[in-house]
Amino acid sequence: MDIHPDIERVIVSQQVIQARINELAAQISADYAENGQLVVVGILKGAFIFLSDLTRRLTVPHRVDFMALSSYGQTATTSGAVRIIMDLRVNVEARHVLVVEDIVDTGYTLHYLLNVLRTRNPASLRSCVLLSKPDRRKVDIPIDYVGFEIPDVWVVGYGLDYAETHRTLPYIGMLKPEVYK
Ligand code: PRP
């Protein structure tokens, strides 16, 4: 496979991503087998590809909805620095909610989001993230399903971007430092 010239090395290959999503989808389908009304909430933009692959492999009934969040400035420094720029269309009260994110870095975004959704009285609230950077965590948050733990390097592809580029690469790649310096 050709690697994009901006990519230093592949962190998680297309094949490994797809195999892990099969496992996650099977696990989630088993865990929700007895529950009705699952709402899968994708967080734009980064989660759109992961969400698409994951939900098409779920064997339990589910709805898909989206939220978009934004941090003030380049990085969130407090949980209050995150805001909702597009909200859900469905009412999640008394429904089982699974939040799907591409990556958890500091944790501020997911921390904020879970707090907001909890106030809407879902029947249950869980999170599924493709990538986690444990070394970067600033706030301790529960993550129920994790695809991969990765080191603290700048990654793009499979939904993740650098300045809105490289989101549609089929693998997770480490960006060459000269691209962002
Ligand atoms: C990314 C990612 C998470 C958040 C994680 O979103 O999708 O939402 O950052 O970072 P944190 O754990 O430090 O809060 P980004 O703001 O890059 O937007 P995007 O999904 O539209 O690319």
Side-chain angles (χ1 to χ4, degrees):
M1 181 181 62
D2 288 340
I3 301 300
H4 190 283
D6 288 349
I7 300 301
E8 177 94 28
R9 64 186 171 90
V10 173
I11 301 283
V12 192
S13 72
Q14 183 173 4
Q15 292 75 12
V16 171
I17 292 171
Q18 295 302 324
R20 183 71 183 122
I21 293 175
N22 284 339
E23 293 176 351
L24 290 172
Q27 181 69 56
I28 292 166
S29 297
D31 291 352
Y32 287 88
E34 304 302 317
N35 298 335
Q37 303 282 358
L38 173 62
V39 181
V40 184
V41 175
I43 309 305
L44 298 173
K45 296 179 187 172
F48 80 111
I49 293 178
F50 176 42
L51 180 88
S52 158
D53 281 347
L54 180 74
T55 52
R56 285 180 294 167
R57 294 173 207 183
L58 294 178
T59 57
V60 288
H62 60 277
R63 301 176 183 201
V64 176
D65 204 352
F66 296 94
M67 292 179 80
L69 303 173
S70 169
S71 329
Y72 292 107
Q74 283 300 97
T75 54
T77 49
T78 71
S79 57
V82 183
R83 69 192 165 110
I84 297 172
I85 55 176
M86 190 187 88
D87 209 338
L88 295 173
R89 294 192 189 187
V90 298
N91 180 357
V92 295
E93 185 168 359
R95 290 183 172 152
H96 296 279
V97 174
L98 179 66
V99 173
V100 174
E101 263 281 31
D102 56 342
I103 189 165
V104 174
D105 189 341
T106 63
Y108 288 134
T109 303
L110 191 56
H111 177 75
Y112 170 83
L113 186 62
L114 293 174
N115 282 340
V116 166
L117 291 175
R118 208 170 282 119
T119 66
R120 300 179 185 181
N121 300 316
S124 69
L125 180 59
R126 289 186 186 174
S127 58
C128 175
V129 307
L130 181 67
L131 304 173
S132 172
K133 285 183 177 175
D135 297 346
R136 292 267 304 165
R137 202 76 86 248
K138 297 278 194 239
V139 56
D140 201 22
I141 40 161
I143 306 176
D144 301 285
Y145 307 96
V146 180
F148 305 95
E149 293 197 340
I150 60 167
D152 181 17
V153 295
W154 197 318
V155 286
V156 294
Y158 205 74
L160 291 100
D161 73 310
Y162 166 66
E164 296 301 329
T165 64
H166 305 312
R167 282 198 200 272
T168 54
L169 293 175
Y171 50 82
I172 304 291
M174 175 185 166
L175 210 55
K176 286 179 179 168
E178 59 263 35
V179 175
Y180 57 86
K181 276 182 182 156

